[in-house]
Amino acid sequence: MTDAQALVKTLDFQLDTQSDNESLLYDATLEARSVYNETIRLAKQGVDWDAIPDRVADDANLVKNTTQRVVAKALGAMENYYEYDDFGKPSHTKDGAYPLRANYEEGYNLSLTDDGDVAFRISAKPYKHVTGVLKGSDANLDILQTALESDEWKIGTAEALFHNDNAELHVNVTNTEQTVRDKQDSRTVVGVDVNEDNVALTVLSEDGIEDSLVIDFPEIKFERHRYFTIRKRVQNAGKDSIHDTLEGREERFVRDRLHKVSRHIVAWSQQFEKPCIVFEDLKEMRDSIDYGTRMNRRLHHLPFRALQFYTSYKASFEGIPTAWINPEYTSQRCPMCGHTERANRNKKRFKCRDCGHQDHSDRGASVNIAVKDVKKLDWNVPALNSLPVVRKVSTERRSLS
Ligand SMILES: [Zn+2]
């Protein structure tokens, strides 16, 4: 059985509105905000999620399937919160614009003009349209023009939103022909261990360890702690709107850095022969028994899933497959002799109680993650007699792009 996935990409464009009614689009994004808020409010109230779309749609002044897309996104945020607690409980009291999410050929439409531009038509409100042409990078316009003319590409949902007061359209496109390589066909495995202040990577082939790297991002940990402290203070003072603004800023900062780190992981992995990138499956971890305070802390305080998600979709666009392993004992197992004991690890230091092997503990965890996937792929696990020296780069010292 193959495990090929389709390639999905989001293309960002600016809207050059020519229908002289850009304020209509802005009004619609405010309406989308109230749909989002109402959905979150009802979900918090304990209303059955299946009943929410109809209740919200009756009052919304938006195209019906656009309302449904916004409701689905809000419920997705609630689900994410319950599953992973990435960025705290979704708020239903924020105001301002919220992205207007629309289905292709229902809530919005695109077409090629005689001049070679891409024209847009967004149904901002029922029977009211905003029209004009898209502006953007040559690369994005090229993909979109190709997508409009080729059966190989499918155009999906889009979001109309305002960024620094400028109207934008973010369009999802899928290449249905080109796919991600089947992971059974891999020759190297890249184990990825995500931590609060770094990500450790180790590449394993059947011959042994090819290389390993630790990418430090102390500024993410620092900023998250700083924002956490300030948010607590304003929350205690009862200033919820400031709290929400700060949360938005923290989220943007963290997301921006994590995008850089994920690009670096993919670029680094590409130098190895037919790589497969492997992560710890956190869902499996949460559903399972207690993995100790370190794991629990990581789970509750990390935008962990975000880094895994960014890395995996960027990898898929390069045709690189990703895999997931059960995280049990990855931080306690000695990569040299296999001895597994919690006391092997003391923060960033690893010292095996049995064979005496010493290592950077996150790098050791990334070796174990890679080893687990090698076993899943049914390769021979190479004997590890010595590990390469840990190399480090930092998002602070080095500009990752
Ligand atoms: Zn050992």
Side-chain angles (χ1 to χ4, degrees):
M1 197 187 100
T2 60
D3 186 35
Q5 310 160 249
L7 295 182
V8 183
K9 196 170 174 67
T10 303
L11 309 171
D12 296 356
F13 300 98
Q14 289 79 49
L15 295 182
D16 183 359
T17 302
Q18 295 170 345
S19 51
D20 203 24
N21 58 355
E22 199 178 284
S23 65
L24 181 67
L25 189 61
Y26 188 71
D27 287 348
T29 61
L30 294 179
E31 185 69 12
R33 169 66 71 186
S34 70
V35 165
Y36 179 91
N37 284 349
E38 183 62 5
T39 304
I40 298 287
R41 194 183 67 78
L42 292 171
K44 285 178 180 171
Q45 238 177 39
V47 173
D48 187 342
W49 286 17
D50 291 338
I52 291 177
D54 283 341
R55 277 183 65 168
V56 176
D58 288 345
D59 295 328
N61 184 19
L62 292 174
V63 174
K64 188 158 187 213
N65 62 61
T66 294
T67 308
Q68 286 166 349
R69 306 291 343 160
V70 176
V71 169
K73 201 173 168 188
L75 292 177
M78 284 301 280
E79 192 177 355
N80 237 345
Y81 164 70
Y82 287 125
E83 286 287 342
Y84 305 111
D85 193 19
D86 270 352
F87 285 113
K89 198 169 194 170
S91 164
H92 64 280
T93 57
K94 285 186 197 176
D95 47 24
Y98 187 80
L100 192 69
R101 184 175 270 211
N103 286 346
Y104 186 55
E105 293 179 331
E106 290 177 324
Y108 81 107
N109 218 332
L110 301 172
S111 57
L112 284 173
T113 69
D114 293 342
D115 300 335
D117 288 328
V118 178
F120 68 86
R121 182 177 193 266
I122 300 167
S123 305
K125 296 280 177 80
Y127 310 108
K128 289 181 186 167
H129 310 293
V130 178
T131 59
V133 293
L134 300 179
K135 300 284 171 196
S137 71
D138 289 344
N140 280 355
L141 281 167
D142 188 54
I143 296 175
L144 190 60
Q145 283 157 350
T146 309
L148 281 164
E149 291 188 308
S150 151
D151 294 338
E152 222 177 271
W153 291 83
K154 209 172 112 268
I155 298 175
T157 55
E159 290 192 347
L161 49 93
F162 284 82
H163 186 239
N164 299 333
D165 292 335
N166 297 312
E168 295 190 353
L169 190 70
H170 298 181
V171 183
N172 287 313
V173 293
T174 305
N175 187 316
T176 54
E177 297 291 312
Q178 196 188 350
T179 51
V180 175
R181 178 169 41 75
D182 182 354
K183 63 184 154 209
Q184 295 297 331
D185 182 35
S186 302
R187 298 298 298 271
T188 55
V189 164
V190 184
V192 181
D193 182 58
V194 188
N195 298 285
E196 196 179 15
D197 50 5
N198 73 32
V199 54
L201 310 170
T202 291
V203 184
L204 208 60
S205 70
E206 274 191 306
D207 299 330
I209 292 182
E210 304 276 319
D211 201 357
S212 63
L213 180 72
V214 173
I215 304 173
D216 282 322
F217 39 77
E219 77 283 8
I220 295 182
K221 180 180 174 182
F222 177 82
E223 287 293 298
R224 296 187 80 235
H225 285 223
R226 192 172 70 88
Y227 275 114
F228 181 78
T229 313
I230 311 174
R231 279 193 283 126
K232 266 273 161 317
R233 211 181 301 141
V234 299
Q235 199 166 31
N236 290 340
K239 294 174 181 165
D240 282 348
S241 62
I242 299 178
H243 176 274
D244 289 349
T245 308
L246 287 165
E247 200 170 61
R249 269 185 214 160
E250 174 189 344
E251 188 175 326
R252 278 193 298 280
F253 174 85
V254 172
R255 280 183 195 278
D256 175 66
R257 289 309 169 103
L258 292 179
H259 272 299
K260 287 192 173 122
V261 173
S262 63
R263 274 197 290 274
H264 192 77
I265 295 171
V266 173
W268 187 77
S269 301
Q270 277 178 297
Q271 64 184 305
F272 304 100
E273 191 185 355
K274 293 188 172 178
C276 174
I277 299 178
V278 188
F279 306 102
E280 293 176 301
D281 186 341
L282 301 169
K283 191 156 190 312
E284 200 162 345
M285 177 158 59
R286 182 163 276 194
D287 292 346
S288 190
I289 46 162
D290 170 45
Y291 285 101
T293 52
R294 172 179 178 261
M295 274 302 175
N296 284 328
R297 215 180 52 238
R298 286 168 72 199
L299 263 186
H300 286 289
H301 294 290
L302 261 177
F304 212 139
R305 273 264 305 164
L307 183 62
Q308 294 185 332
F309 175 69
Y310 296 163
T311 307
S312 100
Y313 85 69
K314 287 185 176 72
S316 75
F317 214 69
E318 302 299 330
I320 300 173
T322 45
W324 304 81
I325 53 97
N326 185 326
E328 195 174 17
Y329 305 126
T330 50
S331 64
Q332 300 171 20
R333 177 184 177 273
C334 172
M336 308 298 274
C337 74
H339 176 69
T340 302
E341 186 183 341
R342 188 169 288 178
N344 281 348
R345 179 179 185 130
N346 183 7
K347 296 191 177 120
K348 294 291 178 196
R349 293 304 317 160
F350 185 95
K351 186 175 182 195
C352 178
R353 292 288 175 120
D354 195 24
C355 75
H357 164 69
Q358 295 192 40
D359 199 358
H360 180 297
S361 52
D362 299 327
R363 191 276 287 273
S366 70
V367 176
N368 288 327
I369 291 166
V371 166
K372 277 202 179 187
D373 196 57
V374 162
K375 287 180 184 163
K376 262 176 112 171
L377 288 168
D378 239 357
W379 299 354
N380 295 317
V381 178
L384 303 178
N385 302 315
S386 69
L387 301 182
V389 173
V390 178
R391 283 191 304 114
K392 284 190 175 195
V393 292
S394 170
T395 51
E396 278 192 323
R397 288 197 298 274
R398 215 187 122 168
S399 74
L400 300 178
S401 58

